[in-house]
Amino acid sequence: MLKLPRWNRSTAAATEEITKNATAINDDEATTAAKAVVCVSGMSCSACAVSVENSIKHLPGILDAAVDFLNDRAQILYLPNLTDVETILQAIENAGFQATISKDGTDHRSREVCRIRVNGMGCNSCSSMVESVLEAMYGVQKAHIALLNEEAEVHYDPKVVNCNQFIIAIQDIGFEALPITIGEHVTKIDLKIDGMHNENSTTKVKESLELVLGIDDVNIDTTLSKVTISYRPDIIGPRTFIEILESIKSEHFKVTIYPEDTERETRKQKEIKQHYKYLIWSSALSIPVFLTSMVFMYIPGIKQTLDIKVVNMMNVGHIIRWNLSTPVQFVVGSRFYFGSYKALRRGSANMDVLVTLGTNAAYFYSVYIVLRAATSPTFNGTDFFETSSMLITFILLGKYLEVLAKGKTSDAIAKLKHLAPETATLLTLDLHGNVINEAEISSELIQKNDVIKITPGARVASDGLVVWGESHVNESMITGEAKPVTKRTGDKVIGGTVNENGVLHIKATHVGSESSLSQIVRLVESSQLAKAPIQKFADHISKYFVPLVILLSFLTWIAWFLAGKLHLYPKSWLPSSMDSFELALQFGISVMVIACPCALGLATPTAMMVGTGVGASQGVLIKGGRALEFAHKVSCIVFDKTGTLTIGKPVVVNVKLMNTTVLEELLELTAATEVNSEHPVAKAIVEYAKQFKKEQNPLWPEAQEFISIPGHGVEAIVKNKKIIVGNKSLMMNNDIEIPREVEMFLVDAEGMAQTAVLVAIDRMVSGVVTVSDPLKPGTKEVISILKAMEVKSIMITGDNWGTANSIAKEVGIETIIAEAKPQQKAEEVKNLQTAGHTVAMVGDGINDSPALVAADVGMAIGAGTDIAIEAADIVLMKNDLQDVITAIHLSRKTFAKIRLNYIWALGYNLLAIPIAAGVLFPSTRFRLPPWIAGAAMAASSVSVVCSSLMLKKYKRPKKLDEIEIQMNGIVVE
């Protein structure tokens, strides 16, 4: 299903179009057409690719060009008598890029993706630091860092750099790094080997596995008796590994699947426990400090005890507070020192720097007060030990609540992963297909082509085809569609879905990382890694936020200190037992600790993570922040017709014969030509022709010199006759006369929304086949709702104008473009963008891929082709147009939440910093003690995360539920 990166797939579609165009040019041109593959350096985004493409296409003699910016490659089809390679290279260089010809016809750069676990990132500044380090490495094309997931996804050239170098680079800046996956089509499995006691047995294990075809990497951990195998599931599987290891001579290994890898959950729980432990210790030590400083001083008896002098003016209270606050500052608070060190080492500053500066200022000033009291018989000063200790305690409380809340943002992925059953029933069949044995195995041991038994109520163990039985399967957990789907022999089933009644035998077709469930999980994880463009706003602010706060804090302190020294405010303003320096210091520390860069950094990723997770549960897979951001701004939707607005399974409704043509002969020649085409109309004609044959799978006459002409039809030689099957324009292009009788028939067919396919035998129209493709239920209502949402609907189709007009009129679409070739669809999308629209394209076929890529948001119907799904930004799993509305509505809700988060985060800082600086003090005597300022800072981050979690209560528009009721024929009283 999802096999190649988006731009690779789109380039594949464009390359296919180039090839087809090459066959469509006249014979003279075809003999002189040439193809060049050019390596282009300097492209960083799709806009660069468009610039390169435009620089090439304006040249004379260019037939077509496809540009792949991820792999730095352009493929050009041109006429050498009008242009040459040097001119093409010069044009690309004039556009600002470096270009060299690839003589072997392949690109000089490959692309791989690896994912790395990054532990220890505390805030947005940390993730930005990791991202900048990775992207600065030679050979890295791009890097995405997910703070909440604690993951890095790196796109790189494996010929230049590798995953181990990324891990070393991350560790060098102070974070722990562990590889998760290397490559996109590799599955990893952990096996536990009992009996592997020495180096000799370890060597035998490694050598035995490395010789096996399909195994990419073997990693052995002797301390845990664990072997980690990276393999390609389309070639080999884990059962084979176990058989190989247990059959090693002279060894007696017992091999099992290593207990389920819950490392991430265990680590998350460990992190929560660690935060909780620190919070408890900090509270236990800080509360007595607070009580001795702020409460017990007003209780007779206790106050006298605390005021007992030990050395000069140093009293018992000083000693107690100093002893209790020191472990809080340097042991419990050590995490802030480490975080500050990491940040400052890279020349940046984060929240840890603010906390460290603020608490150190309070603590060391307090130490100075105590030491001066111990050396002076008359000095009477106030310490701030409660400020430093309570400040750390409240920040730890905020971090504890934050980590609890953040853990809930990725619930959707956890639920998806747990859909796969733990065990499966493996069937052994004889040569006649009879079951001779059943065995229960771990579902991780299923290999391609295994036959699995699925009992009623059980989850389907893997993607596959039904080879025996009939049942209803509930696919709602994957597609969001609650209605059970009937499954019979030959039907596809999806791993993780629930078999409701009958027994099924399925043949596994996609296992491991290739399964639909794994790909959905990977897609959702990748989407949560990808930053939305709006995140750049927070990243930009974060660079300057902490230095600015430190500057404001210093200015606050110096302003109040000078005001006190210069007697700019009366002494009555000073609190008891505090001088002007101490008052100024408290204001400065409060400013330093109340500012919260974390809230800004969490505003976008938390909402995005919850939003994409909710979308996945609704059957709407959103590929990252960019798709989510642009979807909420969509003002115009372009719909393909066949398979999108219509069901996509056309049926033949009428055949008109001309002259003395015999029906069976016409259908045989037509089917023999069309059987080579993948177009839905072609398949409908072939299926109709089968009805006139006695055998179920007839052998059609051989079609020679077959040519497919995109947007028009097909040509071939069958039984020494020239057969042309296609639309009216194809006939006219071949100078084939269309009788008046046929013209009238075409008009009538188009008026009934039927597609008319003309069949010419030896350059004479011999018949017309009319095909009808019914509308999908609820299509008209969906268009109506979009209109109410102020989203313009347009239909672009390769079908004729008559059929297009009829369909558009039926569903309520006013603007249509018919008889459009694939490249024309993309051009129309670009024209709409030029007119100021944010455009979404909804399609399902290969010919929609260029338009899906060109659109701001490409939406692929889930039942569409692999290429369409890869080219799209959003995949609608249910093959239901209602989800177009769900996608737009959910994105609007998500971005409303992101805006609210930003308003809260920015508003909090804009309001809190002046209050902490003492703007209310002259008029109200209100001041914010530093420890309360710390509590407010912690609360701001928690509030942003909780705000994002509210998205979990998302419900799609009620109007969509009304459509469901109408479609199911339910009467509501």
Side-chain angles (χ1 to χ4, degrees):
M1 180 176 156
L2 306 176
K3 296 181 181 176
L4 290 177
R6 169 179 171 180
W7 276 94
N8 284 8
R9 280 291 196 170
S10 63
T11 304
T15 304
E16 181 178 335
E17 183 65 18
I18 289 175
T19 306
K20 290 177 179 177
N21 286 347
T23 62
I25 60 179
N26 64 49
D27 293 339
D28 292 335
E29 288 179 328
T31 57
T32 57
K35 183 178 78 171
V37 177
V38 178
C39 296
V40 185
S41 303
M43 295 189 295
S44 60
C45 63
S46 57
C48 297
V50 172
S51 297
V52 172
E53 188 175 314
N54 290 338
S55 69
I56 298 168
K57 285 188 172 180
H58 87 278
L59 296 174
I62 299 295
L63 299 175
D64 214 333
V67 180
D68 177 4
F69 84 85
L70 280 182
N71 288 316
D72 289 352
R73 166 175 145 161
Q75 183 167 288
I76 304 109
L77 190 70
Y78 67 98
L79 299 175
N81 58 329
L82 295 178
T83 191
D84 54 28
V85 172
E86 287 72 21
T87 305
I88 293 171
L89 296 178
Q90 187 61 49
I92 296 173
E93 290 176 357
N94 288 342
F97 304 92
Q98 295 294 317
T100 56
I101 191 69
S102 174
K103 294 180 181 179
D104 59 357
T106 59
D107 57 292
H108 289 181
R109 183 178 180 186
S110 57
R111 173 180 176 271
E112 202 155 302
V113 180
C114 75
R115 289 171 58 217
I116 301 169
R117 174 91 59 232
V118 183
N119 297 331
M121 293 189 296
C123 66
N124 199 52
S125 178
C126 298
S127 63
S128 297
M129 189 193 309
V130 175
E131 185 172 274
S132 62
V133 166
L134 290 174
E135 289 190 335
M137 295 178 71
Y138 181 68
V140 173
Q141 295 160 17
K142 60 180 177 179
H144 297 306
I145 312 298
L147 175 63
L148 298 182
N149 287 347
E150 295 185 319
E151 287 184 17
E153 182 180 86
V154 190
H155 298 245
Y156 65 100
D157 180 357
K159 298 174 185 175
V160 178
V161 70
N162 59 49
C163 189
N164 289 333
Q165 290 172 272
F166 303 147
I167 290 171
I168 293 169
I170 294 170
Q171 290 172 343
D172 283 346
I173 58 173
F175 299 100
E176 182 186 358
L178 300 166
I180 302 174
T181 60
I182 301 172
E184 296 182 338
H185 306 295
V186 178
T187 295
K188 283 203 315 183
I189 191 166
D190 294 328
L191 300 178
K192 182 173 174 49
I193 306 180
D194 294 325
M196 187 173 60
H197 302 303
N198 54 50
E199 187 176 341
N200 183 50
S201 58
T202 302
T203 303
K204 286 184 178 180
V205 167
K206 193 172 185 67
E207 289 177 349
S208 299
L209 291 173
E210 286 179 340
L211 292 172
V212 179
L213 180 67
I215 293 181
D216 283 5
D217 186 51
V218 178
N219 197 319
I220 299 176
D221 187 337
T222 53
T223 58
L224 299 174
S225 298
K226 180 173 76 170
V227 57
T228 301
I229 305 170
S230 301
Y231 67 98
R232 299 183 181 272
D234 57 327
I235 299 175
I236 200 166
R239 272 207 328 279
T240 305
F241 308 151
I242 293 174
E243 291 169 4
I244 290 170
L245 293 172
E246 291 185 342
S247 65
I248 296 176
K249 293 179 180 179
S250 74
E251 300 289 345
H252 301 284
F253 293 141
K254 176 65 178 175
V255 186
T256 55
I257 298 287
Y258 206 83
E260 185 180 358
D261 184 14
T262 55
E263 181 184 347
R264 184 171 178 176
E265 274 303 309
T266 303
R267 187 172 50 78
K268 184 61 70 177
Q269 291 302 318
K270 183 179 178 181
E271 183 183 9
I272 291 172
K273 286 181 181 178
Q274 192 174 45
H275 275 85
Y276 180 73
K277 181 179 74 173
Y278 283 154
L279 175 62
I280 292 299
W281 276 107
S282 185
S283 300
L285 295 169
S286 299
I287 291 173
V289 174
F290 174 78
L291 292 174
T292 59
S293 177
M294 311 293 285
V295 178
F296 292 162
M297 299 305 293
Y298 300 98
I299 300 176
I302 298 179
K303 181 183 186 306
Q304 282 74 14
T305 303
L306 294 174
D307 285 342
I308 295 174
K309 304 294 186 292
V310 179
V311 178
N312 287 328
M313 295 300 291
M314 184 176 73
N315 58 37
V316 171
H318 286 145
I319 295 173
I320 291 174
R321 288 191 290 273
W322 190 5
N323 283 318
L324 291 177
S325 62
T326 298
V328 176
Q329 182 70 34
F330 298 108
V331 180
V332 178
S334 61
R335 64 188 305 275
F336 300 114
Y337 286 97
F338 288 127
S340 300
Y341 170 72
K342 291 174 188 176
L344 295 174
R345 199 174 114 184
R346 290 294 302 173
S348 63
N350 58 10
M351 186 206 74
D352 291 335
V353 173
L354 295 179
V355 175
T356 302
L357 287 174
T359 56
N360 276 335
Y363 177 82
F364 285 108
Y365 176 74
S366 300
V367 170
Y368 162 75
I369 292 295
V370 173
L371 292 177
R372 187 173 175 188
T375 57
S376 172
T378 57
F379 177 76
N380 187 17
T382 303
D383 64 78
F384 290 156
F385 284 121
E386 84 286 347
T387 294
S388 63
S389 58
M390 289 302 292
L391 181 55
I392 289 173
T393 300
F394 274 110
I395 290 171
L396 289 175
L397 173 62
K399 284 291 178 186
Y400 174 68
L401 296 175
E402 186 181 314
V403 78
L404 283 177
K406 284 198 297 187
K408 296 178 181 178
T409 60
S410 57
D411 283 352
I413 292 178
K415 288 176 181 177
L416 283 171
K417 286 182 176 178
H418 287 107
L419 288 179
E422 292 183 3
T423 61
T425 303
L426 177 67
L427 301 179
T428 304
L429 309 179
D430 61 19
L431 295 175
H432 303 289
N434 300 315
V435 179
I436 58 175
N437 187 43
E438 292 186 10
E440 188 173 279
I441 63 171
S442 168
S443 59
E444 292 180 278
L445 293 177
I446 297 174
Q447 296 183 181
K448 196 171 183 179
N449 296 323
D450 282 345
V451 177
I452 308 296
K453 179 181 178 181
I454 313 295
T455 56
R459 290 191 182 276
V460 177
S462 96
D463 292 4
L465 291 173
V466 178
V467 294
W468 181 87
E470 183 176 334
S471 182
H472 289 86
V473 175
N474 186 335
E475 299 182 341
S476 61
M477 62 287 302
I478 301 293
T479 66
E481 179 61 64
K483 188 176 180 181
V485 182
T486 304
K487 299 293 180 181
R488 299 184 179 90
T489 302
D491 289 341
K492 293 180 181 179
V493 290
I494 304 172
T497 56
V498 178
N499 180 27
E500 294 204 335
N501 37 41
V503 176
L504 294 175
H505 293 177
I506 68 161
K507 184 177 182 180
T509 55
H510 297 84
V511 296
S513 62
E514 288 191 337
S515 70
S516 297
L517 186 58
S518 295
Q519 289 170 350
I520 290 170
V521 169
R522 190 162 65 243
L523 191 153
V524 175
E525 286 178 332
S526 295
S527 71
Q528 293 178 347
L529 278 167
K531 289 183 179 181
I534 196 173
Q535 179 68 27
K536 293 176 182 177
F537 171 69
D539 292 346
H540 186 71
I541 291 178
S542 296
K543 288 181 182 179
Y544 308 101
F545 189 89
V546 174
L548 180 62
V549 169
I550 293 172
L551 178 62
L552 289 173
S553 174
F554 176 76
L555 292 176
T556 299
W557 171 76
I558 200 72
W560 278 102
F561 177 68
L562 291 175
K565 287 297 180 182
L566 298 175
H567 306 293
L568 298 179
Y569 60 82
K571 284 191 175 181
S572 60
W573 284 17
L574 289 172
S576 59
S577 303
M578 191 178 292
D579 60 23
S580 59
F581 175 83
E582 292 166 348
L583 179 66
L585 184 64
Q586 280 215 347
F587 281 129
I589 293 174
S590 293
V591 169
M592 192 173 292
V593 298
I594 202 167
C596 186
C598 292
L600 273 172
L602 293 170
T604 298
T606 53
M608 266 187 54
M609 183 171 279
V610 178
T612 52
V614 168
S617 68
Q618 300 261 348
V620 178
L621 300 184
I622 303 169
K623 298 183 183 179
R626 182 193 173 280
L628 199 65
E629 180 162 348
F630 277 96
H632 93 281
K633 298 188 286 187
V634 166
S635 60
C636 177
I637 296 187
V638 176
F639 290 96
D640 173 46
K641 181 179 75 68
T642 306
T644 304
L645 294 175
T646 62
I647 290 174
K649 293 184 178 179
V651 292
V652 175
V653 293
N654 194 9
V655 178
K656 181 175 179 60
L657 300 174
M658 302 297 297
N659 306 324
T660 58
T661 308
V662 178
L663 177 62
E664 287 78 1
E665 181 187 7
L666 176 78
L667 291 175
E668 182 181 50
L669 294 173
T670 306
T673 307
E674 290 280 37
V675 76
N676 298 291
S677 173
E678 289 295 315
H679 197 282
V681 171
K683 291 181 178 181
I685 293 173
V686 173
E687 286 299 316
Y688 183 75
K690 285 181 181 179
Q691 300 174 20
F692 295 85
K693 293 285 186 178
K694 293 180 180 179
E695 61 269 34
Q696 187 175 2
N697 293 305
L699 291 174
W700 304 106
E702 184 182 356
Q704 299 175 333
E705 299 180 25
F706 174 82
I707 297 174
S708 175
I709 305 164
H712 292 284
V714 295
E715 299 178 8
I717 303 293
V718 182
K719 290 184 174 181
N720 294 320
K721 295 179 179 180
K722 177 70 172 179
I723 310 299
I724 300 177
V725 183
N727 55 23
K728 182 178 175 182
S729 62
L730 180 61
M731 301 299 156
M732 295 173 68
N733 290 342
N734 283 274
D735 295 326
I736 297 173
E737 184 181 353
I738 301 175
R740 179 172 174 75
E741 183 182 355
V742 173
E743 292 272 14
M744 294 175 63
F745 184 78
L746 293 179
V747 173
D748 292 339
E750 291 172 359
M752 293 183 287
Q754 296 174 357
T755 299
V757 179
L758 287 77
V759 182
I761 302 175
D762 289 335
R763 306 190 63 79
M764 288 187 62
V765 176
S766 301
V768 185
V769 181
T770 56
V771 178
S772 177
D773 186 8
L775 282 173
K776 285 182 179 177
T779 300
K780 183 177 180 180
E781 290 78 4
V782 167
I783 301 300
S784 176
I785 294 173
L786 286 171
K787 190 177 290 186
M789 294 171 69
E790 297 183 354
V791 177
K792 183 180 181 180
S793 296
I794 295 174
M795 183 176 75
I796 297 182
T797 177
D799 213 336
N800 62 73
W801 279 97
T803 304
N805 277 314
S806 180
I807 291 288
K809 186 176 181 181
E810 188 174 349
V811 300
I813 293 178
E814 297 174 0
T815 306
I816 59 170
I817 299 165
E819 300 179 7
K821 293 179 182 179
Q823 206 55 42
Q824 286 178 294
K825 291 184 179 183
E827 290 299 328
E828 291 297 338
V829 167
K830 292 175 183 176
N831 291 338
L832 288 167
Q833 291 169 328
T834 304
H837 287 290
T838 300
V839 182
M841 170 71 193
V842 186
D844 74 320
I846 292 173
N847 62 342
D848 297 323
S849 300
L852 288 169
V853 171
D856 296 295
V857 183
M859 298 187 187
I861 296 292
T865 65
D866 287 356
I867 290 177
I869 290 171
E870 276 300 335
D873 301 293
I874 298 175
V875 180
L876 310 178
M877 293 291 291
K878 288 189 289 186
N879 199 20
D880 190 337
L881 282 180
Q882 294 179 40
D883 289 337
V884 173
I885 295 171
T886 303
I888 295 173
H889 187 257
L890 174 60
S891 67
R892 289 181 178 181
K893 290 287 184 182
T894 303
F895 261 78
K897 186 64 69 177
I898 289 173
R899 289 193 191 98
L900 182 63
N901 287 349
Y902 273 126
I903 290 170
W904 166 247
L906 287 171
Y908 160 83
N909 284 298
L910 291 173
L911 184 65
I913 290 175
I915 292 175
V919 294
L920 299 179
F921 187 71
S923 58
T924 65
R925 303 295 180 275
F926 176 80
R927 62 188 176 90
L928 209 58
W931 58 272
I932 293 180
M937 183 203 68
S940 68
S941 294
V942 176
S943 64
V944 166
V945 177
C946 291
S947 170
S948 295
L949 285 173
M950 294 298 289
L951 275 171
K952 284 192 171 188
K953 296 182 179 180
Y954 169 81
K955 291 183 179 179
R956 66 181 196 160
K958 290 183 178 179
K959 290 181 180 179
L960 295 182
D961 295 327
E962 293 171 5
I963 295 176
E964 287 284 346
I965 291 171
Q966 293 172 13
M967 287 168 57
N968 293 325
I970 300 172
V971 179
V972 182
E973 295 294 337

